[in-house]
Amino acid sequence: MPVLNATYKPSFLFKKGFISTVYSGLARRVVLEQERERITLQDGDFLDLDWSFSQEKSKKLIILLHGLEGHGQRPYITGAAKLFNTNGVDAVCVNFRGCSGEDNLKYYSYHSGATGDLEAVIQHAITNKGYNDIYLKGISLGANIILKYLGERDALPEAIKAAVAVSVPCNLAGAAKALHTLKNKLYHDRFLKHLVKRLYKKQERFPEHISKATIASIKTLNDFDEVYTAKAHGFKNAQDYYAKCSSLQFLQYIKIPTLIINALNDSFLSPECYPVKMAKTNPNLHLEMPNFGGHSGFVSKNNIYYNEKRALEFCVG
């Protein structure tokens, strides 16, 4: 499928990647009524799911995955849920392990390639909730999980009809390198602060796995992935984690209609995160590269973002 022409044309202010990213993350507000459900996973841990529903009884569902240190009430997640709800589709916003306001039960938690929990949510939606048509949409880390999930399996449930991945760091090593540059220092430090704070809480419960001194030695996100992400989840080191969990290598195997929207002025993404070659060779893969939008900052009119509108068009029509 040829690379698609993006039609996103923001106002002058939101042509600035930094402004659109920060505004979307800190200033946007979405009002949405949600119902929380807790499901138990096979390893005894839990996931908290935030549901919202269309006015009509629907057999259609969109599963929404947030980004690093996000949760199911972030506007970039609830905005999509609300739009799909008003168009006859139920929505479930998944809180990754430890992201729902309560720490998960295990020392390990979530990461960019942890597709097993997404599979559990999909099976729950099909088997226990009776949904026939399921769409997947992820932002950033959540988008990488979706793309990896779609490409790493030989077969998918028939209920999965389409997927949308937004601001996706499909080459994790390149994106990690980009996040460590000076232009991204504010983002880098904000992510690191939240991650380290949560890791100290885990240390209190699991002192045999990590010491306070080790946590104190973490100065960068790469350090965090070396000290915690890789070791807690069975990887040799951070680079091994990045290599094995990058969705780029799985894109050629995707067999359902999938849309990737990565803005060209997204400072989080490296050149490898724009899979033009894959989009041209895999008929199921659609790639949009708007000039503007920053990282998940596709600000549009009426508080409905461009990527949310495109997701609805792509999935439902």
Side-chain angles (χ1 to χ4, degrees), residues 124-142:
H124 178 64
I126 295 171
T127 304
N128 299 327
K129 301 294 185 177
Y131 286 102
N132 299 323
D133 294 346
I134 294 177
Y135 315 109
L136 308 176
K137 182 174 187 280
I139 302 291
S140 196
L141 178 148

Side-chain angles (χ1 to χ4, degrees), residues 34-53:
Q34 294 176 305
E35 297 178 8
R36 175 156 290 185
E37 176 189 23
R38 176 166 292 185
I39 63 171
T40 301
L41 301 168
Q42 286 189 345
D43 64 357
D45 213 340
F46 67 89
L47 282 183
D48 285 333
L49 310 178
D50 293 326
W51 293 84
S52 60
F53 304 96

Side-chain angles (χ1 to χ4, degrees), residues 32 34 36 50 66 70-74 77-78 93-95 99:
L32 178 69
Q34 294 176 305
R36 175 156 290 185
D50 293 326
H66 61 76
H71 51 71
Q73 289 79 49
R74 293 296 297 271
I77 293 294
T78 55
C93 302
V94 179
N95 296 278
C99 293

